[in-house]
Amino acid sequence: MNMNEIIKITNLTKSFGNIIACSSITLEVYPGEIVGIVGESGSGKTTLLKCASGLYKPDSGEVFFRSDDNYVQNICNISEPDLRQLMRTDWSFIHQNPRDGLRMNISAGGNIGEKLMAIGNRHYGNIREAAAAWLEKVEIDSSRIDELPSNFSGGMQQRLQIARCLITEPKLIYMDEPTGGLDVSVQAKILDLIKKLVEELNIAAVIVTHDLGVVRLLADRVLVMKDGHIVEQGITDQVLDDPHHAYTQLLVSSIIQV
Amino acid sequence: MDELKYNFAYLDEQTKKTIRRAILKGLSIPGYQVPFSSREMPMPYGWGTGGIQVTSSCIKQDDTLKVIDQGSDDTTNAVSIRNFFKRVTNVQTTEDTNKATIIQTRHRIPEIPLVEKQILVYQVPTPEPFRFLEPSEFETRKIHALKEYGIMHLKLYEDISKNGHISTSYNYPVLVDDNYISAPSPIPKFDNPKMNNNPAIQLFGAGREQRIYAIPPYTKVISLDFEDYPFEATKANAVCQLCGATDSYLDEIIIDNAGGRMFVCSDTNYCHNNLLKKIYNP
Ligand SMILES: Nc1ncnc2c1ncn2[C@@H]1O[C@H](COP(=O)(O)OP(=O)(O)OP(=O)(O)O)[C@@H](O)[C@H]1O
Ligand SMILES: [Mg+2]
C-alpha cells in the first residue's frame, strides 16, 4: 500500500456501551505536520488518540501508520510485539500527567535513557551522554541527571517526559493535554519548547486540548470534535478566525481574542 | 524399616510425575519459568522447599546426594536437608563434589567444575528477575513474552550512576540461551560464569513462588552488562587462610571477640581437599 500520510484514520468508530465516543472519524496526518484536536469534555478526543495509538481497538474503521521505510501497518490488527516496537521507535505518547509517563523511582537520566536501552543500546557512556544532552535540550541543567523526578517541579517533570519521549527521534508524537496541569506561565514555556523541538526534528504531532490558545500557537491544522463527530476542520487560522460550524463559533467566541 | 512408611523421596509418584513434567518443559525452554503446584513440605517455605521438591522428583536409588548451603556441607540447613533425604530415600550422601550425582545448593556453585550426568539443584527464593522492578506478575510475564528486556539494563544503569560501577553482586541477572533473562538465585556473581556452557543439568526450584526453570547442559548463559562496564566475576581480593587457595570464592569470618577476621573458602569441600593434598603431597 502506498501512502504519503504518516497516519491515516478512516471511518473509525468506537463506542462504550451506548455511548458512541468516536463516530466515523476520518483523519490524515502528514510528516512534520501538527494537528490539533479540540472539543469539550467528553467529545471523544482522548478516545480518538488512544485508538490512533493502538491503546484501544476501534469497533470499526482502520488506522494505517507508515514507518520510515514506507512500510504501512494497520494499527487495528497489528500484533502486540509489533505495536510495542512502533511505540519504542516510531511514535511516542506524552501524557497529561508526567507521572503516567515517567518512572518515578528511576533517576532523570535513567528515564531519558530507557528507550535507548530498550532498542538495544549497550554503551553506558553513550546513553548517559545522550540523556545529558536531552536534559539541556529541554532546559534542565544536566547536573541534575541523577536526581529522581520527584525532586522536580511539575513543569520540569513534563520537560523530562518530553525528553524521554523524543530521545529516539520518533516520527510522530501524540499529546493529550500536555500542559493541562500546569500554571499559565509554565504552560507557555512548555508549549514553546514543544514547538521548537517538533520543528527542529520535523516530527508530526497530534495534540489534544480544550485550549484554543494552544491550538493557535502550535497547530497547522485543527479538528473540532463534538459528541464523537468531527464538526469542522481546516487550517488553524482559518477555522479560528472564520468558524463555520455553530459549535466552533461558540468555542471561539468564548475565549478572549489575542 | 518403619522409616520408610513415606513413599521414596517423600512425594507420591503422581506428584513427582507432574514435577518432572515441569522440569522437562523447563529444559526444553531454557530459562523459562514453568508454574507447578508446589506441595506442602515438612519444613517452612524459605528452607528450600522448591529445591527439595525438584530433588525428590529426580533422585533415584543409586544416586549420591550432596547438599550445600552457602558453599558449606555442614550448616544447619544443609545438614537437615541431607538428613531428610537420608530418611526418606536411604541413598548415599557425600560431601565430595566429584562423587555426587545430585547436588542441592543454596547460594553457591561448587568450585570444582561439574561434569555430565551431574544435576545441580538450586533453591530459589525469587524466581522472577524483574520482580524488584515490576511487582505485577501479569506485567512481568508480558516483559518475558515480548522480550522487553531494556529495563534490566535500566537497573544496571542506575547502579552505575549511583555507585560508579555495577554494584549488584548477588543474583546477578543472566541471559539464558540468548533468549530468556533469568535469576541465577542469590549466588555471588563470582559464580555466574560457571553457569555458562556447564556440562551438568541445572535445575531451579522456587517453592513459595511455585516456579521451576532449568538450564540444559552446554547452554550459553551470559551475565548482562554494558560494553564500557563489562561484567566482572569479583571476589574478595585475598587468599584462603586455611588452604591458601587464590581462585575460590571467600567468606570473611569473625574469629574472636576482638573482631579478628579471616578469609576462608566458602566451598568447604574444596578447601578440605586442598588441605588434604597439602598434607599428603607437601
Ligand atoms: N474506558 C471507557 N469506558 C467507558 N466509557 C468511556 C471510556 N473512555 C471514554 N468513555 C466515554 O466516551 C466519551 C468520550 O470520552 P473521552 O475521554 O474520549 O473524551 P475527551 O474528549 O477526551 O474528554 P476530556 O476533555 O474530558 O478529556 C465520554 O462520554 C466518556 O464517558
Ligand atoms: Mg480526554
Side-chain angles (χ1 to χ4, degrees):
Chain A
M1 175 174 173
N2 255 330
M3 67 184 231
N4 298 323
E5 301 89 344
I6 185 157
I7 193 139
K8 187 167 161 182
I9 298 172
T10 52
N11 284 318
L12 182 141
T13 296
K14 173 79 183 169
S15 16
F16 299 100
N18 294 330
I19 299 166
I20 304 174
C22 288
S23 175
S24 231
I25 303 282
T26 292
L27 160 68
E28 295 104 30
V29 181
Y30 288 87
E33 185 186 35
I34 305 183
V35 175
I37 301 176
V38 292
E40 63 192 0
S41 186
S43 57
K45 306 182 296 291
T46 298
T47 306
L48 176 57
L49 217 53
K50 287 192 170 167
C51 289
S53 57
L55 294 175
Y56 285 163
K57 291 253 172 286
D59 304 332
S60 61
E62 325 276 5
V63 178
F64 295 105
F65 178 79
R66 178 167 62 82
S67 306
D68 260 352
D69 47 2
N70 285 330
Y71 178 55
V72 175
Q73 296 180 81
N74 186 351
I75 303 304
C76 302
N77 52 30
I78 192 173
S79 73
E80 189 157 6
D82 286 348
L83 180 63
R84 295 237 184 169
Q85 180 63 20
L86 282 180
M87 287 176 176
R88 281 195 290 264
T89 53
D90 287 58
W91 76 59
S92 261
F93 203 110
I94 296 177
H95 299 264
Q96 172 175 354
N97 186 345
R99 286 173 173 267
D100 294 335
L102 293 172
R103 289 186 192 274
M104 298 305 286
N105 56 348
I106 297 286
S107 69
N111 265 292
I112 300 178
E114 179 175 354
K115 268 200 187 178
L116 293 180
M117 295 179 241
I119 60 173
N121 194 321
R122 294 289 175 262
H123 191 284
Y124 175 85
N126 293 350
I127 293 164
R128 196 167 169 82
E129 208 172 285
W134 266 95
L135 272 176
E136 295 286 345
K137 261 192 191 164
V138 297
E139 291 154 20
I140 297 175
D141 197 314
S142 58
S143 67
R144 306 193 66 173
I145 190 165
D146 292 326
E147 290 182 41
L148 291 179
S150 53
N151 282 7
F152 294 171
S153 69
M156 287 166 80
Q157 288 180 10
Q158 196 56 295
R159 290 161 191 276
L160 199 57
Q161 189 189 188
I162 291 168
R164 175 180 160 90
C165 286
L166 296 189
I167 191 164
T168 49
E169 306 202 354
K171 288 286 153 271
L172 173 66
I173 50 171
Y174 294 108
M175 293 180 271
D176 195 352
E177 305 275 8
T179 56
L182 304 171
D183 70 50
V184 181
S185 64
V186 179
Q187 266 190 30
K189 281 192 186 150
I190 300 264
L191 290 173
D192 279 342
L193 178 70
I194 292 175
K195 190 174 164 65
K196 191 182 110 200
L197 292 174
V198 163
E199 279 170 5
E200 206 176 288
L201 301 171
N202 195 31
I203 303 173
V206 180
I207 179 164
V208 158
T209 176
H210 54 252
D211 184 341
L212 290 184
V214 171
V215 168
R216 173 84 80 179
L217 181 70
L218 287 183
D220 303 311
R221 258 190 323 128
V222 62
L223 274 70
V224 184
M225 284 186 76
K226 187 174 188 321
D227 300 331
H229 293 271
I230 294 177
V231 294
E232 183 159 3
Q233 59 176 310
I235 308 292
T236 305
D237 289 342
Q238 279 174 13
V239 172
L240 296 190
D241 294 342
D242 181 21
H244 286 195
H245 193 276
Y247 175 70
T248 318
Q249 288 165 0
L250 188 71
L251 268 186
V252 171
S253 67
S254 67
I255 62 158
I256 303 158
Q257 294 293 332
V258 280
Chain B
M1 277 227 294
D2 58 341
E3 292 285 13
L4 283 182
K5 55 193 168 205
Y6 292 112
N7 189 36
F8 178 76
Y10 186 76
L11 294 174
D12 62 89
E13 291 307 312
Q14 195 52 42
T15 300
K16 286 198 252 176
K17 227 185 206 171
T18 60
I19 293 177
R20 281 182 208 131
R21 233 176 260 142
I23 292 171
L24 286 174
K25 185 165 180 184
L27 284 165
S28 330
I29 319 169
Y32 171 73
Q33 298 166 54
V34 185
F36 80 109
S37 75
S38 182
R39 295 302 143 112
E40 289 291 333
M41 297 303 283
M43 61 274 286
Y45 290 130
W47 281 72
T49 53
I52 290 168
Q53 290 176 78
V54 169
T55 301
S56 288
S57 308
C58 296
I59 201 164
K60 308 182 304 313
Q61 213 87 57
D62 58 355
D63 271 314
T64 305
L65 179 70
K66 170 181 165 80
V67 182
I68 48 174
D69 178 11
Q70 310 267 8
S72 164
D73 294 88
D74 46 22
T75 56
T76 319
N77 199 305
V79 170
S80 54
I81 292 173
R82 190 167 57 235
N83 284 344
F84 169 77
F85 278 111
K86 259 192 211 161
R87 265 184 70 182
V88 297
T89 65
N90 241 331
V91 302
Q92 287 213 318
T93 61
T94 183
E95 299 194 358
D96 195 338
T97 302
N98 289 320
K99 291 206 180 100
T101 54
I102 299 182
I103 303 169
Q104 179 166 331
T105 180
R106 172 172 176 262
H107 291 190
R108 280 307 313 277
I109 299 176
E111 304 291 359
I112 295 168
L114 302 179
V115 295
E116 283 178 17
K117 295 191 178 160
Q118 284 184 311
I119 300 178
L120 183 61
V121 178
Y122 296 76
Q123 299 170 202
V124 181
T126 311
E128 178 48 68
F130 290 94
R131 184 61 67 233
F132 298 105
L133 296 162
E134 177 51 70
S136 146
E137 175 71 13
F138 180 80
E139 283 303 321
T140 53
R141 286 189 153 232
K142 216 166 201 177
I143 287 172
H144 289 292
L146 300 176
K147 298 286 177 305
E148 298 214 315
Y149 282 160
I151 68 168
M152 193 55 93
H153 274 90
L154 183 55
K155 178 175 177 270
L156 301 180
Y157 170 95
E158 292 286 289
D159 245 22
I160 300 172
S161 301
K162 281 200 193 92
N163 308 300
H165 59 99
I166 298 177
S167 55
T168 302
S169 56
Y170 283 85
N171 211 349
Y172 190 105
V174 293
L175 182 66
V176 177
D177 197 23
D178 289 323
N179 199 17
Y180 279 103
I181 287 186
S182 304
S185 85
I187 58 171
K189 65 178 170 184
F190 176 80
D191 284 342
N192 273 26
K194 297 177 189 161
M195 301 176 87
N196 182 40
N197 208 29
N198 196 311
I201 295 173
Q202 302 176 72
L203 304 177
F204 300 76
R208 192 194 308 111
E209 305 265 339
Q210 317 212 20
R211 292 290 184 279
I212 284 170
Y213 51 107
I215 301 175
Y218 303 110
T219 300
K220 181 171 166 193
V221 179
I222 59 164
S223 305
L224 302 180
D225 62 3
F226 286 104
E227 290 155 17
D228 46 344
Y229 285 83
F231 170 81
E232 279 179 293
T234 49
K235 69 178 201 66
N237 187 17
V239 294
C240 173
Q241 285 169 256
L242 292 177
C243 74
T246 55
D247 56 354
S248 78
Y249 190 74
L250 301 173
D251 285 336
E252 191 178 17
I253 54 172
I254 294 175
I255 49 173
D256 56 35
N257 286 341
R261 291 148 189 273
M262 69 188 284
F263 282 105
V264 295
C265 290
S266 121
D267 184 335
T268 49
N269 175 248
Y270 183 70
C271 198
H272 185 74
N273 286 348
N274 284 343
L275 284 172
L276 286 183
K277 264 185 236 156
K278 271 196 183 162
I279 292 166
Y280 292 109
N281 321 298

